[in-house]
Each structure stands twice: as structure tokens, then as C-alpha cells.
Amino acid sequence: MNISDVAKKTGLTSKAIRFYEEKGLVTLPARSENGYRSYSVKHIEELTLLRQARQVGFTLDECRELLALFHNPDRHSADVKARTLEKAAEIGRHIEELQKMQARLLDLAAQCPGDAGASCPIINNLIGIDTGCCPPAAQA
């Protein structure tokens, strides 16, 4: 298979495939006499794993670990599960942080008159002037 066939089968762009090759994440494809890459089913599996892992938030380094497990016939599913649960917990913490940020922004917006005046409690709060708009817990 050539790179455009692989791109269609994996849902990746040719550029993304070459990027993953350059980063050493996928097995290098064989080259034909004219220099074209020649891909196998193994490459499709590696690239599909990469695409799907990236879609659920795994970093490139974490993808490298998953690919190593993919290639290891002696792997334990418990190792894959542990990495997956670690990623899920990390995402959960990130969601909590984002929810706190959202709550603070909504608190700030609620205190702003949003009129034609120059006085703005949002700006004042962001530069450290206490406007009394937000309880300390919401600012954390």
C-alpha cells in the first residue's frame, strides 16, 4: 500500500503519517526502488492505534508506550488498563480545573455591569484589585 491508501484506511493525513514516522512512533515502511514507501497491515494497525489513542488524549510519549505494549507479545492487559485509568484520572483532574476556571469567569462576568462605562470589575480583579466580587474560594 502507498501512503495515500494508508491515509484513507487510518483516517490520518499523509503529513501526519510522515510525522509519526519521523518521531519514530511507527515501524519504518519498506522503500521501493523508486523511493516510495510501501506499507503493510502492521502499519495500518500502528497508525490506527496512534490516531485513536491521540483522540482520547494520550500524549505522543504515552502513545509510544502503548505501541511498545502493542508490539510486546508478552504484554499484560493489566498494564494497558493501568495506563488507561491513569489517563482517565488525569483528564478528570483537568475537567475539575476547567470547571473551576469556568465558575470564576462566570462570577466575574456576573459582577460586571457590561455597560458603556470604563470601570470594569473583571479587569480590576484580573490585575489584583479587590472588587469584592468573588469569594476567595472561587478565585483559587
Side-chain angles (χ1 to χ4, degrees), residues 86-118:
E86 288 170 12
K87 179 51 71 175
E90 179 185 318
I91 290 170
R93 289 187 297 274
H94 191 60
I95 288 170
E96 288 176 12
E97 290 170 13
L98 289 170
Q99 288 173 331
K100 288 178 183 177
M101 290 165 61
Q102 180 187 37
R104 181 168 179 219
L105 289 170
L106 292 173
D107 286 344
L108 288 170
Q111 297 302 314
C112 183
D115 57 17

Side-chain angles (χ1 to χ4, degrees), residues 1-10 12-22 26-32 35-47:
M1 279 178 276
N2 64 31
I3 198 165
S4 63
D5 294 332
V6 173
K8 287 175 190 166
K9 288 183 183 282
T10 61
L12 294 167
T13 63
S14 296
K15 183 178 180 180
I17 294 168
R18 286 189 290 273
F19 172 79
Y20 289 139
E21 288 174 13
E22 289 170 14
V26 295
T27 307
L28 290 177
R31 294 275 186 163
S32 62
Y36 290 133
R37 294 169 173 88
S38 180
Y39 296 91
S40 67
V41 171
K42 178 181 173 183
H43 295 105
I44 300 287
E45 292 171 344
E46 290 174 339
L47 290 163

